[in-house]
Amino acid sequence: GIVVAREARSRGTTWILGPNLDLAREPRWGRMDEMYGEDPYLVSRLGVAAITGLQGGARPIGADHVLATAKHFAAHSQPESGANGAPVNVSERILRSEFFAPFEAAIHEASIASVMAAYNEIDGVPGHINSWLLRDVLRDEWHFDGVVISDGAGIERLESVHRVSQSRPESARKALTAGIDYEIGTTFLELASEVAAQRAPTARVDEAVQRVLAAKFELGLFDAPPLDPAAAARVNNAEPH
């Protein structure tokens, strides 16, 4: 993790979309190779170690480290038929005792800076609008204060895949309200008009913006010196690494 962070930062990368803390429970799923294993304890220990290496042992994050992202919250890795993003049939007891464990460890033991929502549905609710996961559990129970990020095009899929939205503005509004702070995609461009029309709460936009800005300030992005290509060339693939 330390080596990955140092090499990434030398080239201007400040945010890593990993580690993957899903439990490898569905061998037909094409993303099994991303995960550390099927056991919650093993995944928790490896996840905490990876996050500590990427972010450093303490906050704020130093100049040779990066923001890490715990993904995918939650139970993304046991989809029906092994299809990526398919519904997951799982009880709250199994969620809390198994699938949640690596994420709770990432927050409480490693001060993870960001958490990524999941493509799947639980009890018919897509992960990107599951306010129970993103607000009740993450924020209220575990006191996570970092950035909640979408998966790639995850908010667009609310309309195109999950059919719980009828438009891009509606998808953006629902995801923001449920707890997504930052999007990998373009639907959040609709939020300006949604706020102007008083369909999206300004206070929630402010909350999301504050979290993203706090992460940028922690990384020192507003006063960072220019990148040094020669230094990056020396660091990347160096023999010790």
Side-chain angles (χ1 to χ4, degrees), residues 150-228:
S150 82
D151 205 340
I155 299 175
E156 296 171 16
R157 289 163 63 99
L158 296 173
E159 180 184 4
S160 62
V161 176
H162 300 286
R163 307 293 185 184
V164 297
S165 167
Q166 296 183 17
S167 67
R168 286 167 53 83
E170 182 183 358
S171 297
R173 182 176 70 249
K174 285 183 172 180
L176 176 81
T177 303
I180 302 291
D181 298 313
Y182 186 93
E183 181 192 16
I184 304 177
T186 59
T187 66
F188 270 18
L189 295 173
E190 312 287 346
L191 289 175
S193 59
E194 290 297 285
V195 170
Q198 298 184 333
R199 289 188 293 266
T202 304
R204 174 67 191 107
V205 174
D206 290 344
E207 181 183 56
V209 170
Q210 286 169 2
R211 291 195 182 113
V212 174
L213 286 175
K216 291 183 176 184
F217 276 112
E218 182 176 3
L219 289 164
L221 298 187
F222 296 106
D223 54 7
L227 292 175
D228 182 350

Side-chain angles (χ1 to χ4, degrees), residues 5 8-9 13-16 54-56 61-62 64-68 219:
R9 196 66 187 264
T13 296
T14 58
W15 195 348
I16 297 289
L54 290 168
Q55 294 189 166
I61 294 167
D64 283 340
H65 290 89
V66 295
L67 263 71
L219 289 164

Side-chain angles (χ1 to χ4, degrees), residues 6-241:
R6 186 173 296 137
E7 293 197 1
R9 196 66 187 264
S10 75
R11 293 187 180 272
T13 296
T14 58
W15 195 348
I16 297 289
L17 301 184
N20 188 330
L21 302 183
D22 294 323
L23 304 181
R25 296 291 179 82
E26 173 49 88
R28 295 173 297 177
W29 191 43
R31 301 178 66 172
M32 288 283 286
D33 61 332
E34 292 183 39
M35 292 169 284
Y36 293 131
E38 63 182 326
D39 178 75
Y41 181 76
L42 174 66
V43 175
S44 297
R45 293 308 94 211
L46 291 174
V48 167
I51 294 161
T52 302
L54 290 168
Q55 294 189 166
R59 304 284 295 274
I61 294 167
D64 283 340
H65 290 89
V66 295
L67 263 71
T69 305
K71 65 181 190 180
H72 307 82
F73 194 62
H76 185 225
S77 54
Q78 193 174 289
E80 291 294 295
S81 302
N84 192 44
V88 174
N89 290 316
V90 63
S91 68
E92 183 175 347
R93 180 176 183 272
I94 296 300
L95 281 173
R96 290 187 176 277
S97 62
E98 299 184 24
F99 287 98
F100 282 3
F103 292 90
E104 194 168 7
I107 292 168
H108 293 155
E109 297 180 43
S111 298
I112 188 74
S114 65
V115 171
M116 181 182 285
Y119 286 136
N120 60 289
E121 301 174 6
I122 296 175
D123 291 336
V125 182
H128 284 73
I129 57 169
N130 194 324
S131 58
W132 175 68
L133 287 174
L134 303 180
R135 302 193 73 85
D136 295 353
V137 175
L138 266 185
R139 302 293 187 193
D140 296 341
E141 290 188 28
W142 296 348
H143 306 294
F144 174 65
D145 61 358
V147 178
V148 174
I149 183 175
S150 82
D151 205 340
I155 299 175
E156 296 171 16
R157 289 163 63 99
L158 296 173
E159 180 184 4
S160 62
V161 176
H162 300 286
R163 307 293 185 184
V164 297
S165 167
Q166 296 183 17
S167 67
R168 286 167 53 83
E170 182 183 358
S171 297
R173 182 176 70 249
K174 285 183 172 180
L176 176 81
T177 303
I180 302 291
D181 298 313
Y182 186 93
E183 181 192 16
I184 304 177
T186 59
T187 66
F188 270 18
L189 295 173
E190 312 287 346
L191 289 175
S193 59
E194 290 297 285
V195 170
Q198 298 184 333
R199 289 188 293 266
T202 304
R204 174 67 191 107
V205 174
D206 290 344
E207 181 183 56
V209 170
Q210 286 169 2
R211 291 195 182 113
V212 174
L213 286 175
K216 291 183 176 184
F217 276 112
E218 182 176 3
L219 289 164
L221 298 187
F222 296 106
D223 54 7
L227 292 175
D228 182 350
R234 288 194 300 270
V235 167
N236 283 260
N237 295 316
E239 187 167 342
H241 291 181

